[in-house]
Amino acid sequence: MTAARSTRDGQDADEFDVEEALALVKNPGPRPSAEQLRAGDVPAGAPRRGGDRAPAPGSRAQEGTLDKQAQHKATPWPEARVVAERAARSAPRRAPVSVPLDAALGLVLAAPLTALTDLPSFDTSAMDGWAVAGPGPWEVRGDGVLAGNATPERLTDGEAVRIATGARVPRDATAVLRSEHGRLDDKGRLHARHAQGHGPARQAGTLDVAHGQDIRPRGQECRSGDQLLPLGTLVTPAALGLAAAAGYDTLTVIPRPRVDVLVLGDELLTEGLPREGLIRDALGPMLPPWLRALGAEVVAVRRLGDDAAALHKAITGSRADLIVTTGGTASGPVDHVHPILRRLGAELLVDGVKVRPGHPMLLARIEEGRHLVGLPGNPLAAVSGLLTLAEPLLRTLAGRAAPEPYTMPCREAVQGHPYDTRLVPVSLRGERAVPLHYNGPAMLRGIAASDALAVVPPDGARAGQELELVDLPWASAGIDACFV
């Protein structure tokens, strides 16, 4: 399921709870406490679901109340993230792999990067100009030294030779005189320009250049065997350049965790406009690149409909480190995820999270080293589940460091849920987080325009209050960097 579906994935519960919070703020009657709401003990005169009348015993309204009480025994949002990370740490250690440089971007080093050579490996010119020996003026040799020349002829005192940036400096050269700092007289001799001198030397025009000027000496950056990057470093484009300069053709890295995506729901279309009760699948196109941005290798994306046998076969046949399902995590007639996990003897590590949207999410250990994250079917609820459970698990499996938590003041007040955390799409404007509209569980319009999700505590946040932010992976890294 991937769009506004039915109460089987908790859509109505999600949306009603936010509306209920708004009603509690606006209603002049006494407001129940969070504890009373959890217990279903609403004082007289306080608003109730469906009006002021208590639900009759055995009625659908009472069943809904009992369901809500069960939902709020779920795992708190921060704790759920810790459980997901811990689950990944308890998995058997994954064997490092050696990959070519062009396949290493975004992976994590499984061994320190040590220099295989001195950098630079010989004295090189830092500028275009002349390699000179001793004090000037200098007699200029007719040949020149270009980058790539093996062993240029040595210089004697009073000699100079044209040299290019990056070229090997001749033996016994004492400095490089930049092109803009030298001039040739009518006899072809090289002089340092006056602009380099001060005082008498400047007036005379025979300034001596400093010893070693504009020469990059061998080993200036590192010596062979020096550690350049530690174990656990994320391989960035700059790290690839450093590895290449240091002589590497391959890197030893932690492999990407492998993920299978199972999209559930008979009502989903893969093309064209919604029609006749059918809706477009939003999660099938969205989840694979998002999972890749979180460091995963997406092995397969399969659309199974609401077929319990097909789901059982797909789970038991998968060899991925993580299976991600969409929809089917509640207790409706075609919600097959829980029954199949019970049939398989899977261990439920998280069964519901105190977060809106997305509270019906789950995390299960299928067997040692293999997990399943069940996402709600509504799109924004699924994003919530992805960042709550899949992100810490995949990050840990991939060996990536946890991002440093940070906060930012909210530009305006944000309505909270009476007892759950809310994740609200925000855009970052200067030093403020601006809450975005269209943030219902079935909506993607807000998240598509956002930079981050704000973590809103129960009962909301006032204007100017500092809120924790969860970055979207492409907000800081850029599209090209994070989807490789």
Side-chain angles (χ1 to χ4, degrees):
M1 175 189 138
T2 59
R5 196 167 175 182
S6 73
T7 55
R8 73 190 197 209
D9 277 331
Q11 175 204 346
D12 292 345
D14 269 340
E15 291 181 345
F16 179 80
D17 286 334
V18 175
E19 293 168 4
E20 180 181 52
L22 288 168
L24 291 173
V25 171
K26 296 175 182 177
N27 193 293
R31 179 176 179 177
S33 67
E35 290 76 14
Q36 289 170 320
L37 283 167
R38 291 189 190 98
D41 180 17
V42 183
R48 294 179 180 270
R49 170 180 259 182
D52 290 335
R53 186 176 58 191
S59 68
R60 294 178 61 86
Q62 187 188 50
E63 291 173 5
T65 301
L66 294 174
D67 287 345
K68 287 174 71 65
Q69 292 173 17
Q71 289 163 3
H72 295 119
K73 295 176 182 176
T75 306
W77 182 76
E79 183 181 327
R81 290 170 59 80
V82 172
V83 170
E85 185 174 319
R86 190 183 301 131
R89 294 192 188 284
S90 68
R93 187 173 182 180
R94 301 162 71 241
V97 295
S98 180
V99 300
L101 292 186
D102 60 5
L105 184 64
L107 301 179
V108 169
L109 292 179
L113 188 75
T114 56
L116 303 179
T117 181
D118 296 345
L119 285 181
S121 54
F122 46 82
D123 293 351
T124 62
S125 176
M127 296 287 171
D128 292 335
W130 295 268
V132 298
W138 302 272
E139 296 291 336
V140 180
R141 292 205 315 234
D143 56 345
V145 184
L146 300 177
N149 285 173
T151 307
E153 186 179 346
R154 69 189 301 168
L155 293 177
T156 59
D157 276 359
E159 279 191 321
V161 65
R162 272 282 185 183
I163 194 166
T165 301
R168 187 168 190 155
V169 173
R171 288 179 58 191
D172 297 331
T174 54
V176 168
L177 181 65
R178 302 183 186 191
S179 295
E180 62 269 26
H181 293 164
R183 63 179 180 85
L184 297 173
D185 63 20
D186 54 3
K187 295 181 180 179
R189 289 181 302 178
L190 175 67
H191 299 261
R193 285 187 181 275
H194 295 294
Q196 283 195 302
H198 298 279
R202 176 170 179 160
Q203 296 302 319
T206 57
L207 175 69
D208 288 335
V209 296
H211 193 279
Q213 177 178 301
D214 287 326
I215 291 177
R216 295 186 62 221
R218 176 174 182 165
Q220 181 186 51
E221 187 169 2
C222 66
R223 290 290 183 182
S224 181
D226 286 352
Q227 180 175 298
L228 304 177
L229 295 172
L231 168 76
T233 299
L234 182 69
V235 179
T236 63
L240 288 176
L242 177 61
Y248 283 84
D249 299 316
T250 62
L251 290 176
T252 301
V253 294
I254 299 173
R256 297 181 189 275
R258 293 161 55 87
V259 177
D260 283 343
V261 178
L262 307 180
V263 181
L264 312 181
D266 288 337
E267 75 280 24
L268 302 178
L269 295 169
T270 58
E271 60 183 17
L273 294 174
R275 63 182 184 274
E276 300 172 352
L278 302 178
I279 57 176
R280 279 296 297 269
D281 171 23
L283 296 183
M286 179 174 72
L287 289 181
W290 204 316
L291 289 163
R292 283 191 285 269
L294 296 177
E297 175 191 350
V298 178
V299 179
V301 179
R302 301 181 61 190
R303 292 173 171 82
L304 304 181
D306 290 316
D307 186 328
L311 179 58
H312 180 272
K313 182 177 179 180
I315 293 175
T316 55
S318 171
R319 299 271 58 89
D321 302 294
L322 174 64
I323 298 170
V324 174
T325 63
T326 69
T329 56
S331 54
V334 290
D335 290 335
H336 303 303
V337 175
H338 279 94
I340 288 174
L341 290 176
R342 285 194 295 270
R343 179 178 168 188
L344 295 175
E347 179 186 1
L348 271 177
L349 304 177
V350 174
D351 190 8
V353 177
K354 295 181 179 180
V355 68
R356 304 297 169 129
H359 72 273
M361 69 182 74
L362 63 86
L363 169 63
R365 182 183 288 116
I366 303 172
E367 59 186 49
E368 187 179 30
R370 298 184 60 241
H371 294 85
L372 181 144
V373 167
L375 303 178
N378 279 316
L380 187 57
V383 169
S384 174
L386 195 66
L387 296 179
T388 300
L389 298 177
E391 186 277 333
L393 189 141
L394 289 172
R395 166 173 39 82
T396 306
L397 288 177
R400 295 185 177 187
E404 289 292 329
Y406 76 104
T407 64
M408 188 174 285
C410 199
R411 194 173 73 177
E412 57 197 58
V414 185
Q415 178 62 51
H417 187 274
Y419 30 68
D420 289 353
T421 298
R422 280 191 73 202
L423 299 181
V424 177
V426 295
S427 62
L428 306 183
R429 297 291 180 265
E431 298 300 317
R432 298 270 173 167
V434 181
L436 298 174
H437 300 295
Y438 306 105
N439 54 28
M443 299 179 181
L444 286 173
R445 187 171 170 182
I447 192 72
S450 69
D451 302 306
L453 290 174
V455 181
V456 180
D459 294 330
R462 65 186 183 278
Q465 181 174 333
E466 293 277 339
L467 293 178
E468 179 185 351
L469 297 183
V470 178
D471 274 335
L472 303 182
W474 49 88
S476 56
I479 294 291
D480 291 339
C482 89
F483 292 110
V484 173

